[in-house]
Amino acid sequence: MTAQLAAVAAAVADGLRDADFTPRGAVSLGYFAKRSLEESEIIVAVMPRKTRTERLTRGGLKQVDLDISVGVFRKLTGTDIEVDQQVDDMLDLCQGIEDYFETHALTGRTESQIAATTDANGDMNFDPESLLSKREFSAFLTLTFRGTRQAP
């Protein structure tokens, strides 16, 4: 993993901690080891994924895309109607995270030049099997941060 990718992942985690989301979850940086969740516990895990570069000019200008995964997890409790509401709340949280990074660039949160512009892809992966069998909500968002840099 590059230092730049790690810096952007840390900035994403900081942004999630600072943002005013409802429902609120504990934000962690790094891989979330799947474990038994406590009742109604919400975990938001930020994980650096990969860096992609593409040469834009012969002069060495490169486009750099940094992919960050955000996992959202919650143990669902209560009646079927209450569980349905909790699922709706968690889907709203995922949409809120996506919307937040579409409108809030990471400029100033990291010294990395790449973070000057933000492009969020909302390709959420939702696990209905986990929802039905374990009554746990699990979803992953992939956020892509795009910028340019001059090759050294």
Side-chain angles (χ1 to χ4, degrees):
M1 167 178 25
T2 67
Q4 189 174 39
L5 184 61
V8 171
V12 168
D14 289 345
L16 290 172
R17 286 185 194 104
D18 294 346
D20 186 25
F21 292 115
T22 303
R24 191 105 183 112
V27 177
S28 65
L29 177 61
Y31 180 73
F32 172 67
K34 192 70 172 160
R35 59 174 173 77
S36 293
L37 295 169
E38 300 296 323
E39 275 191 26
S40 299
E41 178 184 26
I42 300 171
I43 300 291
V44 179
V46 178
M47 298 156 279
R49 294 279 306 243
K50 64 181 171 184
T51 303
R52 295 184 312 273
T53 59
E54 180 181 335
R55 192 171 88 181
L56 296 176
T57 67
R58 285 188 233 176
L61 185 64
K62 293 182 178 183
Q63 174 179 299
V64 181
D65 291 347
L66 302 172
D67 290 342
I68 307 293
S69 283
V70 178
V72 179
F73 310 95
R74 180 177 186 178
K75 180 73 172 176
L76 305 171
T77 60
T79 66
D80 288 345
I81 292 171
E82 291 170 328
V83 166
D84 287 346
Q85 181 59 52
Q86 292 169 27
V87 169
D88 288 345
D89 290 346
M90 297 309 293
L91 291 171
D92 288 346
L93 174 60
C94 291
Q95 184 65 51
I97 290 170
E98 180 183 339
D99 293 346
Y100 178 82
F101 286 105
E102 285 179 352
T103 58
H104 292 78
L106 295 179
T107 305
R109 291 187 180 269
T110 174
E111 293 178 18
S112 176
Q113 180 186 358
I114 195 71
T117 60
T118 305
D119 177 31
N121 291 335
D123 54 340
M124 180 177 68
N125 295 318
F126 173 64
D127 184 7
E129 177 71 25
S130 179
L131 181 65
L132 295 173
S133 64
K134 299 178 188 173
R135 292 180 76 98
E136 291 180 351
F137 179 91
S138 299
F140 291 91
L141 296 158
T142 300
L143 304 175
T144 301
F145 295 88
R146 175 170 292 159
T148 58
R149 74 171 176 219
Q150 189 67 39

